[in-house]
Amino acid sequence: MTELLKIDNLVTEFSIQKKRVSAVRGVSLQVRKGKTLVILGESGSGKSVMLRSILNLKPAGARISGSIKLGEEELLTKSPKEMEGIRGNRIAMIFQDALSALDPLYRVGEQIVETIAAHRKIGKAEAKSQVAELLGKVGIPSPEERMRAFPHEMSGGMRQRAVIAMALACKPDLLLADEPTTALDVTIQAQILRLFKEIQAEYGMSIVLVTHDIGVAAEMADDIAVMYAGKIVEYGRARQILSAPAHPYTVGLIEATPKRGQKGKLSAIPGQPPLITAMPEGCSFADRCPMARSSCREVTPAFTHYGEAHIAACYLLEEEQPVAQ
Amino acid sequence: MASFVLKRLALMIPTLLGVSIIVFLMLKIVPGDPVNSIVPPDASEAERAAVRAQLGLDKPMIAQYGIWLGRVVQGNLGDSVTRRLPVTEMLLPALKNTVILTAAAAVTAFIIALVVGVYSAYYPNSRIAALFNGLSLASIGLPNFWAALILIGIFSVTLGWLPSSGMNTAGSSGTGDLIKHLVLPTAATALSSVGIMTRMVRSTVSGILKQDFIFALQAKGVRRWTILRHVLRNGMPTILNVTGLQFGALLASSVLVETVFSWPGIGQVIYQAIGQRDFPVVQAGVLVIAIAFVLLNLIVDAVHAAMDPRVRHA
């Protein structure tokens, strides 16, 4: 078995003013062992909510249904106590803004020790030396000294490294990263992405990386899932999706990204994604799709397969019967 | 830290000067003459003038204030006009009793507000939280002296469980006896502060619960109690600040509550002195309360700085 995480028909619902709305509307995905899955989508597409749903973390009143399997274990039926044992231990998470993800009143070292202590029986001295080792591993100079720093005393890049060290503390099988480089400037971004690759090579963990940045996706992804309005619209191997996108939305996204040497105006996808409180019938991208026809607004398209590992949900493709691969 | 405390101590001086000037002016504005409570009603105008000169009341207002201030700086708060006693001798024992009452009220209010406020923030949609919310609003609305009378009516008169006045039963001085006497005045004093503090704790804690690092803590898989520790640590500076400010309200309500319960505290002394136009006592009493209030808030700020590295380093 090569899949570490298998998500089936995941639905995450909230109630907004007594109305039930779905932020994630039936997502199915697999994360391969030791590989990186990038979830690509614009703000409000439900990608962060989906990521949080994997840890079964939800605001009061939200409901998560479907199936999330880590190895052979179903996570959605686990008790809160059992999920506590999995979070931070077998599945760790990294956030967009490291400053707000750390408690401002606790030293960085203390916060990493806390993670270890939550999952391992360990002495104070040993925990400290582990923290120093972790901080050294993520490239923080003089870790013994930096572990006594408060979050506000570190630079943005250092803080994100510290948060990554915290996520690595229990050697998780799966790392969830929610826009981990969005808040950083470009040079630091590149360093952090390289760090992700190094730790993945060393620990052999799987990574799910959520981003809206196609550059990051191209850099990191083994697989890509393109998310739009709470659904996956295209999913497959990164190389195929980036070189031969099938769904009009993916095509639009790639065309909206500046390329080296490109002259003239950048194309943009017209309009806004639909609000989750007012989802249209049929394909949710139809209103913005240059190739939409009347049938698109009536019934939601199903996935069309291209070989074994590339699928897209669009009527156009069904009719054109594109040649696989 | 030392320079922070020194700076704040220096800032106390203008605050206290301001307080003493306002109290001085207020005493001059209210009608009534302290001489009336000293001389017999049939005293001649000459006798009255003699007493007035003796008390220094014939001098211009600014001179009177200057003389008073000059003595206070040297540690002399003057003598009571009506009781011919040094003011310090009257105020110090009373101050101790007021500290007992306000401290008991502050601790009670703090604990109730913390427990109820944190619960309401954690379970904002529960029926219990709604009940607490209503109760805290009601407690803010009830006047302390009225609540004091109702408490006496229920627990002293009807049920006969608790004493209605004084600090000790005559002839006994045990701690148990003191605590029994303390219950009702404490409840009456703490009442309105409990409501305000509960609402502050609730909004502070629910604000913290919405922050990203709480979510990050959950994602780390730490226990609920560990998260609560982070929540309290982050909320404590705000909660302590509110408590410090409420201390002023507690002292203020003690004036009336002490009077209703005949609690021999500084509030009762001031209340009687106002009735007798005993200016030195009122002046000194208010000054002592102001010093206590400012010092306490200085301590709160120092604790805040000690707890929050961002304030400490700023």
Side-chain angles (χ1 to χ4, degrees):
Chain A
M1 202 190 80
T2 57
E3 276 105 39
L4 174 74
L5 188 79
K6 212 165 169 315
I7 300 174
D8 252 316
N9 198 24
L10 179 73
V11 174
T12 307
E13 292 175 300
F14 297 98
S15 36
I16 295 176
Q17 287 156 357
K18 307 214 166 161
K19 266 189 3 200
R20 296 209 75 81
V21 295
S22 307
V24 179
R25 306 187 297 149
V27 163
S28 301
L29 286 173
Q30 289 91 45
V31 183
R32 292 186 287 155
K33 265 185 191 148
K35 302 284 184 188
T36 301
L37 168 69
V38 167
I39 298 175
L40 197 58
E42 57 196 301
S43 338
S45 58
K47 52 197 197 308
S48 290
V49 174
M50 201 219 61
L51 205 63
R52 288 164 185 225
S53 299
I54 296 176
L55 285 175
N56 205 350
L57 286 173
K58 56 189 178 193
R63 211 176 62 202
I64 303 174
S65 59
S67 157
I68 302 172
K69 275 187 165 166
L70 180 67
E72 290 297 306
E73 293 170 70
E74 175 59 53
L75 296 186
L76 287 183
T77 55
K78 292 217 178 282
S79 69
K81 198 83 214 157
E82 288 172 316
M83 276 314 291
E84 258 175 27
I86 288 172
R87 291 181 200 133
N89 187 16
R90 293 173 59 198
I91 306 177
M93 190 156 175
I94 292 165
F95 301 88
Q96 174 174 344
D97 181 0
L99 182 60
S100 62
L102 291 164
D103 186 329
L105 304 187
Y106 285 75
R107 292 170 202 279
V108 170
E110 288 175 307
Q111 303 194 43
I112 303 178
V113 167
E114 200 173 58
T115 312
I116 304 175
H119 303 291
R120 310 265 187 275
K121 279 201 167 14
I122 192 170
K124 241 190 172 164
E126 202 192 329
K128 270 192 175 167
S129 76
Q130 273 191 25
V131 171
E133 195 193 318
L134 280 165
L135 290 176
K137 194 162 273 171
V138 297
I140 292 181
S142 52
E144 305 273 350
E145 200 180 301
R146 299 309 285 164
M147 63 193 270
R148 282 194 297 276
F150 287 99
H152 73 277
E153 297 172 318
M154 289 182 149
S155 69
M158 281 298 144
R159 269 198 296 268
Q160 194 56 289
R161 284 173 193 271
V163 169
I164 293 171
M166 185 149 73
L168 293 178
C170 293
K171 299 193 170 56
D173 303 323
L174 177 63
L175 195 60
L176 308 176
D178 190 355
E179 306 254 9
T181 57
T182 306
L184 304 171
D185 55 54
V186 184
T187 47
I188 309 289
Q189 254 186 43
Q191 289 174 15
I192 296 290
L193 291 181
R194 202 175 313 131
L195 177 62
F196 271 114
K197 284 186 170 168
E198 284 165 19
I199 56 178
Q200 186 172 39
E202 186 177 340
Y203 289 79
M205 62 181 58
S206 307
I207 297 177
V208 178
L209 197 154
V210 161
T211 184
H212 64 269
D213 184 337
I214 293 197
V216 171
E219 178 79 26
M220 299 297 293
D222 295 301
D223 301 319
I224 290 179
V226 181
M227 202 162 172
Y228 186 79
K231 285 189 167 181
I232 302 294
V233 293
E234 183 162 6
Y235 174 49
R237 297 283 182 264
R239 209 158 6 98
Q240 285 179 332
I241 289 185
L242 293 172
S243 61
H247 195 283
Y249 178 62
T250 318
V251 174
L253 272 186
I254 292 174
E255 276 174 4
T257 310
K259 282 153 208 77
R260 196 175 305 181
Q262 185 182 1
K263 291 202 178 84
K265 221 174 154 193
L266 209 55
S267 75
I269 305 174
Q272 296 287 322
L275 296 170
I276 58 170
T277 45
M279 278 296 170
E281 289 277 310
C283 173
S284 43
F285 186 60
D287 285 345
R288 302 171 74 188
C289 183
M291 287 171 270
R293 52 191 73 177
S294 59
S295 61
C296 293
R297 294 193 173 84
E298 282 153 19
V299 186
T300 312
F303 279 116
T304 304
H305 286 259
Y306 297 74
E308 41 134 17
H310 186 180
I311 55 175
C314 182
Y315 280 127
L316 215 65
L317 309 164
E318 229 170 66
E319 287 163 20
E320 285 173 8
Q321 288 294 331
V323 186
Q325 260 87 26
Chain B
M1 194 65 163
S3 74
F4 170 80
V5 173
L6 281 177
K7 226 186 283 170
R8 291 294 304 269
L9 280 173
L11 277 173
M12 273 177 73
I13 295 169
T15 309
L16 295 177
L17 272 179
V19 168
S20 69
I21 291 172
I22 290 169
V23 174
F24 182 82
L25 287 178
M26 274 177 16
L27 290 174
K28 292 296 164 192
I29 291 166
V30 291
D33 189 343
V35 175
N36 287 341
S37 52
I38 300 168
V39 297
D42 56 346
S44 70
E45 201 44 52
E47 282 172 305
R48 288 168 170 273
V51 173
R52 195 166 282 136
Q54 186 202 341
L55 295 174
L57 293 174
D58 54 341
K59 297 192 177 67
M61 243 161 66
I62 292 177
Q64 286 183 40
Y65 180 75
I67 292 167
W68 177 81
L69 190 65
R71 287 208 204 113
V72 168
V73 171
Q74 295 164 43
N76 177 6
L77 290 173
D79 293 336
S80 159
V81 174
T82 48
R83 290 171 61 186
R84 310 272 168 173
L85 273 169
V87 170
T88 33
E89 255 176 59
M90 286 172 68
L91 284 182
L92 283 184
L95 179 64
K96 195 193 93 189
N97 296 339
T98 293
V99 167
I100 292 175
L101 176 58
T102 8
V107 169
T108 309
F110 181 79
I111 292 173
I112 294 177
L114 200 62
V115 172
V116 174
V118 169
Y119 180 90
S120 307
Y122 263 77
Y123 307 102
N125 299 322
S126 65
R127 277 157 192 271
I128 298 177
L131 176 72
F132 283 149
N133 195 15
L135 284 177
S136 68
L137 263 180
S139 90
I140 294 169
L142 294 180
N144 293 71
F145 58 89
W146 182 81
L149 291 172
I150 297 298
L151 285 172
I152 291 175
I154 296 172
F155 293 100
S156 305
V157 178
T158 309
L159 296 170
W161 290 352
L162 292 161
S164 66
S165 74
M167 247 182 107
N168 289 104
T169 313
S172 93
S173 58
T175 319
D177 184 54
L178 173 66
I179 289 172
K180 256 182 148 177
H181 282 81
L182 197 53
V183 174
L184 292 183
T186 301
T189 310
L191 188 74
S192 59
S193 295
V194 166
I196 292 168
M197 285 165 66
T198 302
R199 296 175 78 80
M200 268 310 299
V201 170
R202 194 192 60 191
S203 71
T204 305
V205 169
S206 68
I208 292 167
L209 287 175
K210 288 193 187 84
Q211 288 193 29
D212 287 348
F213 74 83
I214 296 298
F215 183 81
L217 280 168
Q218 291 175 327
K220 276 160 65 169
V222 298
R223 255 166 287 150
R224 277 170 70 89
W225 293 110
T226 312
I227 296 176
L228 181 63
R229 209 181 65 218
H230 282 266
V231 170
L232 289 180
R233 174 84 184 266
N234 275 274
M236 212 36 90
T238 314
I239 296 170
L240 282 178
N241 263 317
V242 174
T243 311
L245 291 174
Q246 274 304 304
F247 193 75
L250 290 174
L251 283 167
S253 61
S254 78
V255 173
L256 288 174
V257 170
E258 282 176 6
T259 308
V260 173
F261 286 99
S262 313
W263 186 266
I266 206 165
Q268 208 193 4
V269 172
I270 292 176
Y271 179 80
Q272 282 166 2
I274 292 173
Q276 295 162 340
R277 304 291 180 269
D278 195 341
F279 295 157
V281 174
V282 179
Q283 276 279 57
V286 173
L287 191 67
V288 166
I289 286 183
I291 290 173
F293 179 68
V294 176
L295 268 183
L296 198 93
N297 280 286
L298 169 65
I299 294 170
V300 166
D301 286 347
V303 170
H304 184 174
M307 285 175 83
D308 191 337
R310 292 165 301 180
V311 174
R312 195 158 66 229
H313 298 162

